[in-house]
């Protein structure tokens, strides 16, 4: 018969428990996941074009999965969300709240990171301990913060430019768009 203390020690030494109890993993993955969940719950209902945003999220995750490679220092990937979300915040304005750049970038980075960890691991013999393992220096922690800062700056720039008539969705009907038609109507 196996003793309960032995079962408890085996449970504590299992890969997922060891992974989750690591402080660097908590700061690199759990903290951004909690922040992302909170921001998604707060701002997702304000998004006007949700299907388009989900499409861009899938594009960002796919870009990360197909551009990643394992180097001597670990997994490297191109985080498409770092470019996509600030530009969409700039162009869409109030149709995409700028705080959503954080969770969308986190999700778009987490999926390729898990995929890269899965390709490097032998899933039947163990768990690969690299997702979020660098703590505050991990891409899952830093890239969403950098994207959020870029989105906040481009949001302010977009407000400034929209006040001056750029990125407008409205057409001024008082002005004639086709000046040659005006000459033709005068004859």
């Amino acid at each position: 018969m196996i003793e309960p203390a032995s079962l408890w020690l085996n449970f504590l030494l299992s890969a997922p428990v060891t992974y989750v109890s690591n402080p660097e993993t908590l700061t690199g993955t759990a903290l951004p996941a909690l922040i992302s969940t909170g921001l998604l719950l707060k701002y997702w209902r304000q998004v006007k074009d949700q299907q388009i945003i989900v499409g861009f999220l899938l594009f960002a995750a796919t870009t990360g999965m197909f551009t990643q490679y394992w180097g001597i220092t670990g997994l490297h990937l191109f985080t498409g969300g770092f470019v996509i979300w600030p530009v969409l915040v700039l162009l869409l304005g109030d149709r995409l709240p700028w705080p959503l750049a954080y969770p969308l970038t986190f999700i778009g980075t987490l999926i390729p990171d898990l995929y890269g960890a899965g390709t490097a691991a032998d899933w039947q013999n163990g768990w690969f301990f690299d997702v979020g393992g660098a703590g505050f220096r991990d891409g899952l922690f830093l890239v969403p913060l950098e994207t959020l800062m870029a989105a906040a700056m481009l949001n302010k720039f977009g407000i400034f430019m929209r006040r001056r008539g750029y990125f407008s969705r409205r057409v001024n009907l008082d002005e004639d768009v086709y000046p040659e038609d005006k000459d033709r109507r005068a004859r």
Side-chain angles (χ1 to χ4, degrees):
M1 182 169 167
I2 301 175
E3 294 181 31
S6 159
L7 287 174
W8 179 248
L9 288 175
N10 284 339
F11 173 74
L12 288 178
L13 293 175
S14 67
V17 173
T18 306
Y19 180 73
V20 172
S21 63
N22 183 359
E24 289 182 345
T25 301
L26 290 176
T27 57
T29 306
L31 184 61
L34 288 173
I35 293 169
S36 296
T37 303
L39 289 173
L40 274 173
L41 290 174
K42 183 174 182 179
Y43 291 105
W44 183 248
R45 298 172 96 205
Q46 297 176 14
V47 175
K48 304 287 190 289
D49 305 316
Q50 292 179 353
Q51 292 176 338
I52 293 172
I53 300 305
V54 170
F56 274 111
L57 177 62
L58 292 174
F59 175 73
T62 305
T63 302
M65 288 188 334
F66 284 102
T67 59
Q68 69 181 343
Y69 69 94
W70 279 94
I72 203 165
T73 57
L75 180 66
H76 303 278
L77 58 99
F78 172 70
T79 307
F82 183 70
V83 176
I84 293 170
W85 305 123
V87 170
L88 283 178
V89 165
L90 171 71
L91 297 176
L92 296 178
D94 61 343
R95 299 178 67 81
L96 176 65
W98 65 269
L100 278 179
Y102 186 92
L104 293 171
T105 304
F106 175 73
I107 294 168
T109 307
L110 179 66
I111 293 170
D113 206 16
L114 288 172
Y115 179 78
T119 58
D122 182 13
W123 288 102
Q124 292 148 1
N125 291 333
W127 177 262
F128 185 73
F129 290 90
D130 194 42
V131 179
F136 289 114
R137 298 178 312 266
D138 195 82
L140 289 173
F141 186 82
L142 291 176
V143 174
L145 283 177
E146 294 164 350
T147 305
L148 182 68
M149 290 186 289
M153 286 187 284
L154 286 180
N155 180 53
K156 293 294 183 189
F157 181 69
I159 290 170
F160 174 78
M161 294 301 282
R162 269 186 278 293
R163 285 185 187 152
R164 281 146 184 77
Y166 295 99
F167 311 130
S168 178
R169 292 184 294 273
R170 295 184 216 142
V171 177
N172 190 355
L173 297 177
D174 295 335
E175 296 178 13
D176 196 1
V177 179
Y178 301 103
E180 67 272 356
D181 288 345
K182 187 166 109 177
D183 294 336
R184 213 178 308 151
R185 278 185 267 159
R187 292 183 208 164

